[in-house]
Amino acid sequence: MVKGRGASVSGAGIMRGFAFAGLVLLTGASQLWALNLVTPESPPLAVFLLACGPVFLAMAVISIYSRTEMSHQLSRLTKAAERAASGDHSAIESVSGVREVRELGSAISNMSSYLRKNMAQAFELAYVDRTTELPNREFFRKELTRAISKTIRKGSTGALLFVDLDGFKHVNDTYGHDVGDMVLHQVSRRLTNILRAEDLIGLKPGVELAQSITDEEGDESQVSRQMLARLGGDEFTVLLTETREATDAAIVSRRIIDVISQPFDIHGTQLSVGASIGIATFPHDGSDYQTILKSADMAMYKAKGSGKNTYRFYSETLNEEAARRGALEAGLREAVRSDNELVLHYQPKIDLEQGKPTAVEALLRWNHPMDGMRSPDSFLDVAESCGLMPTLGTWVVEEACRQIVKLETCGFPLPVSVNISIGQFEQADFADVVQSILAKTGAKPEMLNLELAEKVLMHNPDVVFHHITILKELGVTFSIDDFGVGSSNLKELCRLPLDQFKIDCSVIHLLDGDEAKQGATIFRTIMAVADSFGYETVAVGVETERQLRIIEKHGCKWAQGYYFAHPMPEEHLHDWLVTTLQGIEAKEPDVDVVDPPSGSQVA
Ligand code: C2E
Ligand code: CA
């Protein structure tokens, strides 16, 4: 720096010297010329001095110009170097100028890419496990620390899975460390595949990532939802953040145990290992790296002690909850497979103008071999989280379509409504599946009504729109379910071609409670929204005469609820319809509303 400044001062001094000498000589010569002291006949030295003035001046001008140009080029180079330092490496390669500047630019460019390469290597050495190419313990420590603080701040939950391979020592001892390393590599590939790829931290060795983690706390917005790391030996960790329920970690653990239990093919030899997994949840089991890692480690030893190839939570309460959910899931799988434990019950929908049942809703029940009839609220969550919902939902649609045909054959051509879940509706082939069920059962599409809760409609409006459009063309109708409790986006609602609003039980129950006035306002508002969209309305959960009078007064078209009938099995539905319709015919023409038949089946 000091040298440079000295060099530039002396360069400027020389230029000033030239200019000064040129000026002195020119002024002196012009004076001499004016006084006629110098003439063409004067001695050559005088003429020479007179000629030197303009030459010196010209040299000074040229020198000042080239200095200015050089300083522009250097300033461009400096700016490009600064941009390269902040990550834009192309800037330095495009610097132009005199040869020296270009050479300097390319030297800086080389130095920059060399540094980049070195930093990437340093990053790999510091944070990447060479055998598996996964993040190592140090990277994991930083990431877990950040995940814990973010989770606590957001008030959500996360889980740490400590995975220890069973039988890995035997592989190492019998086949050698090279084979052991290959197994570890394949384990890491299998684990990476089962954790959703888009949520995994891509370990791209590079400056960006290296820089982002040099700070101990880092940028919390970068914390991923899932991360897989190898701590060393045969120990892996899986970090899950934003879990809906603590027991979600059990689902991931079961998937891990399943994939690790498949044999590994190493050069034609089939090798088997297992996995014992300990799970600690945060902030429940701790709120710092050390405590959570220790809790997960201890839980892993519990899993080893329970016969290996299994998982255990650190918390006993969660172990019990996970065992309960595990048993429920296994039972549900069996129920879906066996096809004789699942049943549909049907609840009539009453047309308030005609005063008679004009449709029914199909409601799922599980006739559990030990617990008896279970309501859908007790098992649908588990079905959804373990991926059973599409199979279960398809069974419901098929059964409901068969019922449409049966009812019509018995002289009751009533449309049947079916509830559709998110997991089911998000299947890419949902519309095809429904179409093929209609074809297979012979049910008329216009007799099938699909009920979608607000949360299903709003989850992915584009997919919803796609399926609805296809099925509506066939004649299938659609209702928005539980309206009034969710948070629908009215703009999205506007574009969906639906047919009915089903007003949630909780709104109807407000109509004759302590908050009756408020309830009536909410009900009126929903009716106005439905009216402006041009939808028909169904009040769900009507239990009292008073509720019925209010909904009628506000022009609600249909009602469904215990006031008329509880959901009932197929065989009772047929009897109920016969009795009710006969009763109506007998009473006509004065009857407005169907009275609940005595002894109607209560589910
Ligand atoms: P939902 O679609 O709102 O169904 C109406 C629920 O209200 C039914 O409960 C029904 O028995 C109950 N209900 C009817 N009238 C009255 C009444 O007057 N008072 C009260 N307190 N409740 C009444 P259920 O059968 O237990 O079903 C609960 C939920 O489970 C359903 O709510 C629906 O969201 C879901 N569900 C039922 N079957 C299926 C199915 O096949 N697939 C899917 N995805 N979900 C289903
Ligand atoms: Ca429903």
Side-chain angles (χ1 to χ4, degrees):
M1 289 284 280
V2 173
K3 263 187 185 170
R5 198 178 300 144
S8 93
V9 166
S10 69
I14 291 166
M15 278 181 277
R16 272 199 300 273
F18 273 128
F20 184 70
L23 271 176
V24 167
L25 286 171
L26 254 186
T27 320
S30 55
Q31 291 295 320
L32 291 173
W33 189 272
L35 295 170
N36 272 339
L37 293 176
V38 176
T39 62
E41 292 80 33
S42 298
L45 182 60
V47 177
F48 171 74
L49 285 174
L50 187 64
C52 276
V55 173
F56 277 12
L57 255 183
M59 281 172 67
V61 169
I62 291 168
S63 165
I64 287 168
Y65 168 78
S66 36
R67 187 178 132 73
T68 313
E69 179 55 27
M70 176 67 83
S71 101
H72 275 147
Q73 288 179 14
L74 286 173
S75 138
R76 281 204 299 273
L77 184 62
T78 311
K79 282 196 185 120
E82 277 164 3
R83 277 167 58 193
S86 60
D88 177 7
H89 301 282
S90 63
I92 204 114
E93 277 140 26
S94 62
V95 166
S96 59
V98 295
R99 188 172 51 82
E100 289 81 357
V101 171
R102 285 202 309 274
E103 279 175 9
L104 190 55
S106 99
I108 295 177
S109 171
N110 289 344
M111 185 179 74
S112 150
S113 53
Y114 180 71
L115 277 177
R116 249 186 300 162
K117 217 167 108 194
N118 272 3
M119 283 187 79
Q121 278 170 353
F123 173 82
E124 274 197 60
L125 285 174
Y127 296 118
V128 182
D129 170 58
R130 299 192 79 99
T131 310
T132 58
E133 293 160 41
L134 290 177
N136 65 9
R137 180 184 281 269
E138 184 51 19
F139 188 91
F140 170 74
R141 183 184 67 75
K142 286 174 186 287
E143 204 56 28
L144 177 58
T145 307
R146 287 163 61 184
I148 295 168
S149 61
K150 186 182 177 194
T151 303
I152 293 175
R153 206 167 30 74
K154 283 180 73 180
S156 54
T157 55
L160 170 63
L161 278 57
F162 196 112
V163 184
D164 188 283
L165 300 183
D166 300 325
F168 182 71
K169 187 173 177 307
H170 172 74
V171 171
N172 255 348
D173 292 349
T174 316
Y175 300 96
H177 286 259
D178 285 349
V179 171
D181 283 357
M182 285 180 219
V183 171
L184 291 176
H185 195 264
Q186 287 197 20
V187 165
S188 82
R189 295 278 68 82
R190 288 186 189 181
L191 294 181
T192 309
N193 286 343
I194 59 162
L195 297 170
R196 273 168 300 167
E198 73 268 24
D199 287 337
L200 274 175
I201 285 192
L203 245 194
K204 289 179 255 130
V207 180
E208 299 83 6
L209 195 46
Q211 280 172 346
S212 82
I213 58 168
T214 41
D215 167 15
E216 187 70 13
E217 281 304 308
D219 172 7
E220 283 183 6
S221 65
Q222 308 234 327
V223 175
S224 62
R225 291 185 55 221
Q226 302 186 350
M227 189 186 75
L228 171 65
R230 180 183 173 220
L231 295 196
D234 58 356
E235 292 171 351
F236 294 82
T237 47
V238 175
L239 167 66
L240 304 175
T241 64
E242 292 175 36
T243 44
R244 281 170 308 160
E245 290 183 45
T247 43
D248 281 358
I251 298 171
V252 178
S253 300
R254 277 201 292 275
R255 282 166 62 200
I256 292 176
I257 291 166
D258 280 354
V259 294
I260 304 283
S261 313
Q262 311 297 320
F264 292 89
D265 184 332
I266 309 287
H267 302 317
T269 308
Q270 305 291 308
L271 301 176
S272 290
V273 293
S276 292
I277 304 175
I279 308 166
T281 58
F282 50 90
H284 187 275
D285 299 334
S287 50
D288 64 89
Y289 168 80
Q290 289 295 351
T291 315
I292 291 170
L293 190 65
K294 203 168 128 222
S295 306
D297 192 23
M298 284 168 72
M300 187 272 292
Y301 278 104
K302 274 197 218 174
K304 291 253 185 223
S306 315
K308 299 186 178 175
N309 219 22
T310 184
Y311 65 88
R312 283 291 178 272
F313 281 89
Y314 176 72
S315 142
E316 268 319 309
T317 326
L318 287 179
N319 272 330
E320 283 158 23
E321 171 65 9
R324 197 189 60 75
R325 277 180 78 102
L328 192 68
E329 188 185 320
L332 202 51
R333 281 187 194 284
E334 178 54 25
V336 171
R337 200 194 53 77
S338 72
D339 194 25
N340 57 15
E341 291 175 24
L342 297 173
V343 281
L344 290 186
H345 281 193
Y346 299 90
Q347 188 176 35
K349 280 156 91 173
I350 313 297
D351 183 317
L352 294 176
E353 248 171 54
Q354 298 184 44
K356 64 178 183 186
T358 51
V360 293
E361 175 175 5
L363 293 157
L364 183 61
R365 302 286 181 265
W366 177 11
N367 196 358
H368 193 275
M370 319 272 266
D371 307 343
M373 204 60 89
R374 293 186 73 138
S375 79
D377 288 337
S378 72
F379 61 85
L380 284 181
D381 264 6
V382 174
E384 193 84 73
S385 60
C386 71
L388 264 180
M389 208 57 222
T391 319
L392 200 58
T394 304
W395 179 87
V396 174
V397 177
E398 190 163 335
E399 189 62 17
C401 284
R402 286 191 209 292
Q403 191 57 236
I404 291 173
V405 178
K406 275 190 209 166
L407 283 169
E408 197 161 12
T409 317
C410 300
F412 305 114
L414 303 180
V416 176
S417 301
V418 176
N419 294 282
I420 304 294
S421 70
I422 294 188
Q424 211 180 335
F425 210 66
E426 291 219 320
Q427 296 286 100
D429 60 349
F430 177 78
D432 297 339
V433 170
V434 173
Q435 220 168 327
S436 62
I437 291 174
L438 286 166
K440 180 174 159 188
T441 56
K444 292 184 186 136
E446 60 275 18
M447 300 303 262
L448 180 65
N449 171 261
L450 301 182
E451 296 191 0
L452 306 162
E454 275 184 288
K455 61 173 192 284
V456 181
L457 286 174
M458 294 305 140
H459 193 248
N460 198 340
D462 288 335
V463 176
V464 168
F465 186 77
H466 170 77
H467 292 322
I468 293 185
T469 315
I470 297 177
L471 291 170
K472 278 217 75 149
E473 263 178 34
L474 295 178
V476 176
T477 59
F478 285 87
S479 305
I480 177 164
D481 210 359
D482 309 332
F483 194 75
V485 290
S487 47
S488 285
N489 176 335
L490 289 182
K491 197 171 137 239
E492 292 295 349
L493 260 193
C494 234
R495 112 183 147 106
L496 294 172
L498 304 171
D499 302 278
Q500 277 181 2
F501 266 27
K502 291 196 81 177
I503 306 168
D504 193 63
C505 273
S506 57
V507 176
I508 306 304
H509 294 169
L510 283 180
L511 293 176
D512 58 357
D514 295 341
E515 297 157 310
K517 218 169 148 197
Q518 217 185 340
T521 311
I522 299 173
F523 187 76
R524 267 200 316 275
T525 313
I526 295 176
M527 290 297 293
V529 175
D531 193 42
S532 57
F533 277 106
Y535 295 154
E536 291 176 337
T537 41
V538 186
V540 181
V542 177
E543 290 182 357
T544 66
E545 173 102 26
R546 186 171 155 70
Q547 290 166 357
L548 175 63
R549 295 293 160 226
I550 299 174
I551 62 162
E552 268 186 318
K553 193 174 109 193
H554 290 105
C556 188
K557 183 164 169 49
W558 273 292
Q560 177 183 342
Y562 297 166
Y563 182 79
F564 307 102
H566 283 251
M568 57 190 102
E570 173 185 351
E571 48 286 11
H572 292 146
L573 175 71
H574 290 229
D575 293 348
W576 186 90
L577 286 170
V578 171
T579 321
T580 307
L581 291 170
Q582 277 172 359
I584 291 168
E585 271 167 28
K587 282 191 199 168
E588 269 177 348
D590 351 303
V591 174
D592 283 342
V593 174
V594 185
D595 285 331
S598 55
S600 70
Q601 180 66 34
V602 175

